[in-house]
């Protein structure tokens, strides 16, 4: 149930909740949208009116520790206590400083039986973006690129090289809908003039982020159409203009870390890096990444072209194939 919130709840975590009484599910809920009711509230409210008396005999299963603080919504712990739910089973603790154990302690102090750590690894995997953001103070980084069978990202001709098929393109748009932001470099913006939205998938468009250190990009590009929030990392000026932020960073060997620091300050929890080989390799060389997703057209060869990044410290976790496209997933060692 928690997964149903993908693309809608960031920077909040994905959370699902189920109420069970005597082996029967009497309520279900999940966090549906940032700023709106949490999973526990939706779950309790879903219980039919004639079953409300069963709440005091039920067990609440929730994938993440209920909150105990006032944010955009009241504390979920208060509602659990108010309805006299006697038992709560929690997947894992919340890494957010305002919660982190406080919700568990508040429930226990109210006399509620609390069990923590059921399917803990799965619960943490579900919110890996949220945990990385709060524990490492940077966004969760996914590197993505398409390559030919001989590991080229582009040919040396001026014509754009179309590598992946229609199904793979839709999949990439689905990936975009699941992340807070998408990042490219100057050359990708100039050569491809992308919109950087997820028009082929449901969910909110990501924040567009472009590294343009020396203001080489013309205002006629699609990224300047004000259709979605856009951040231009540069080394010259800091300015807000309509839906675009020009964010100044220092130009040095730690520029990737500086982008990460800026993303943390801007509350951007995850980034899909779709840039060219140079930008992607910069993340690999800085050892700042969590996942890599490659799309390889096994029937396309380009003898002379731009080589794909060289991946190190990676473990392949899975792969899938759509016609000639081989999609491989890697995680950091």
């Amino acid at each position: 149930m928690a997964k149903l919130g993908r693309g809608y709840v960031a920077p909040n975590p994905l959370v699902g909740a189920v109420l069970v009484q005597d082996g029967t599910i009497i309520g279900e809920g999940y966090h549906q949208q940032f700023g709106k009711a949490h999973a526990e509230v939706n779950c309790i409210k879903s219980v039919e009116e004639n079953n409300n008396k069963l709440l005091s005999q039920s067990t609440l299963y929730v994938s993440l520790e209920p909150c105990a603080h006032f944010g955009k919504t009241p504390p979920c712990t208060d509602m659990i206590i108010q309805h006299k739910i006697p038992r709560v089973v929690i997947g894992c603790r919340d890494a957010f400083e305002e919660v982190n154990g406080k919700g568990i302690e508040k429930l226990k102090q109210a006399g509620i039986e609390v069990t923590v750590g059921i399917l803990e690894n799965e619960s943490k995997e579900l919110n890996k973006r949220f945990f990385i953001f709060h524990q490492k103070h940077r966004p969760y980084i996914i590197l993505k690129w398409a390559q030919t069978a001989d590991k080229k990202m582009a040919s040396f001709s001026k014509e754009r090289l179309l590598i992946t098929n229609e199904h793979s393109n839709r999949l990439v748009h689905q990936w975009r809908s699941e992340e807070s932001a998408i990042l490219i470099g100057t050359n990708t913006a100039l050569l491809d003039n992308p919109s950087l939205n997820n028009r082929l998938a449901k969910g909110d468009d990501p924040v567009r982020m472009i590294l343009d250190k020396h203001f080489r990009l013309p205002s006629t590009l699609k990224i300047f159409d004000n259709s979605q929030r856009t951040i231009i990392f540069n080394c010259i000026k800091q300015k807000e203009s309509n839906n675009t932020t020009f964010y100044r960073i220092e130009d040095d060997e730690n520029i990737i870390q500086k982008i990460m620091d800026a993303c943390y300050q801007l509350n951007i929890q995850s980034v899909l890096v779709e840039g060219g080989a140079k930008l992607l390799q910069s993340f690999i060389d800085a050892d700042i990444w969590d996942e890599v997703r490659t799309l390889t057209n096994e029937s396309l060869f380009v003898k002379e072209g731009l080589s794909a990044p060289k991946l190190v410290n990676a473990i392949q976790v899975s792969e899938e194939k759509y016609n000639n496209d081989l999609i491989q997933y890697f995680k950091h060692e």
Side-chain angles (χ1 to χ4, degrees):
M1 293 208 61
K3 291 178 181 177
L4 295 173
R6 277 181 175 168
Y8 299 99
V9 303
N12 282 358
L14 298 164
V15 186
V18 177
L19 270 164
V20 176
Q21 191 274 331
D22 196 22
T24 300
I25 293 174
I26 61 171
E28 295 179 340
Y30 68 97
H31 186 30
Q32 299 178 12
Q33 193 166 0
F34 175 70
K36 296 193 175 179
H38 290 185
E40 301 92 327
V41 175
N42 288 330
C43 181
I44 292 170
K45 286 184 175 179
S46 76
V47 177
E48 295 181 10
E49 196 170 328
N50 60 341
N51 282 337
N52 276 341
K53 62 178 182 283
L54 300 178
L55 287 171
S56 61
Q57 307 164 35
S58 65
T59 299
L60 175 68
Y61 294 85
V62 60
S63 58
L64 187 70
E65 176 183 2
C67 65
H69 69 293
F70 281 88
K72 291 189 175 296
T73 60
C76 293
T77 49
D78 288 0
M79 193 171 192
I80 296 168
I81 295 167
Q82 174 191 337
H83 285 86
K84 297 181 170 57
I85 296 170
R87 289 173 298 278
V88 178
V89 177
I90 299 168
C92 63
R93 283 173 62 138
D94 191 326
F96 181 45
E97 187 178 355
E98 292 290 332
V99 185
N100 201 358
K102 297 181 180 70
I104 294 168
E105 186 58 31
K106 190 171 185 178
L107 293 174
K108 286 181 176 179
Q109 287 179 354
I112 293 172
E113 179 187 333
V114 180
T115 303
V116 184
I118 304 301
L119 297 177
E120 184 173 21
N121 290 337
E122 291 85 347
S123 297
K124 288 181 176 179
E125 175 68 17
L126 175 71
N127 280 306
K128 53 193 175 185
R129 297 160 179 81
F130 180 79
F131 281 101
I132 285 290
F133 184 78
H134 288 289
Q135 291 170 348
K136 295 191 176 183
H137 292 177
R138 67 161 174 83
Y140 189 89
I141 299 298
I142 301 171
L143 309 180
K144 166 263 169 185
W145 67 83
Q147 60 189 10
T148 62
D150 50 352
K151 296 191 176 180
K152 305 295 182 184
M153 287 182 65
S155 66
F156 285 147
S157 70
K158 290 186 178 180
E159 288 186 19
R160 187 179 178 187
L161 181 64
L162 299 177
I163 296 176
T164 53
N165 61 40
E166 191 174 317
H167 185 282
S168 297
N169 293 339
R170 287 198 300 272
L171 179 62
V172 169
H173 280 247
Q174 179 61 41
W175 292 345
R176 289 179 180 180
S177 74
E178 295 170 357
E179 309 311 327
S180 300
I182 179 171
L183 174 67
I184 63 171
T186 308
N187 289 336
T188 300
L190 283 172
L191 295 172
D192 297 345
N193 191 18
S195 296
L196 299 183
N197 56 27
N198 55 319
R199 59 193 176 277
L200 302 181
K202 293 180 180 179
D204 296 333
D205 287 324
V207 176
R208 299 184 290 205
M209 303 197 306
I210 300 89
L211 176 58
D212 181 25
K213 292 194 290 186
H214 306 298
F215 277 154
R216 291 172 51 202
L217 298 178
S219 60
T220 53
L221 293 179
K222 294 175 183 176
I223 56 170
F224 294 111
D225 63 7
N226 290 315
S227 63
Q228 64 203 78
R229 187 184 175 199
T230 302
I231 299 169
I232 310 295
F233 292 113
N234 70 92
C235 303
I236 299 171
K237 71 175 180 179
Q238 181 86 23
K239 182 182 178 183
E240 293 276 348
S241 177
N242 295 322
N243 213 16
T244 301
T245 299
F246 296 90
Y247 197 104
R248 186 177 178 274
I249 54 177
E250 294 296 326
D251 184 11
D252 59 30
E253 67 274 8
N254 296 317
I255 196 164
I256 299 300
Q257 183 59 55
K258 285 182 167 55
I259 293 174
M260 295 296 93
D261 294 341
C263 288
Y264 183 73
Q265 295 300 321
L266 293 165
N267 206 23
I268 292 172
Q269 198 174 94
S270 64
V271 178
L272 179 64
V273 183
E274 281 199 46
K278 183 178 179 181
L279 180 62
L280 289 160
Q281 192 66 55
S282 295
F283 275 88
I284 295 169
D285 292 346
D287 201 30
I288 299 176
W289 62 274
D290 301 286
E291 285 185 43
V292 170
R293 302 171 185 176
T294 61
L295 302 94
T296 305
N297 185 332
E298 295 185 304
S299 66
L300 180 61
F301 292 83
V302 177
K303 292 182 179 179
E304 297 293 330
L306 179 66
S307 295
K310 291 179 171 58
L311 187 57
V312 294
N313 300 325
I315 301 169
Q316 184 176 334
V317 292
S318 64
E319 66 180 38
E320 55 195 11
K321 196 169 181 178
Y322 301 102
N323 296 326
N324 293 323
D325 286 357
L326 175 65
I327 302 168
Q328 295 174 297
Y329 299 83
F330 302 86
K331 68 177 182 179
H332 204 293
E333 283 185 341

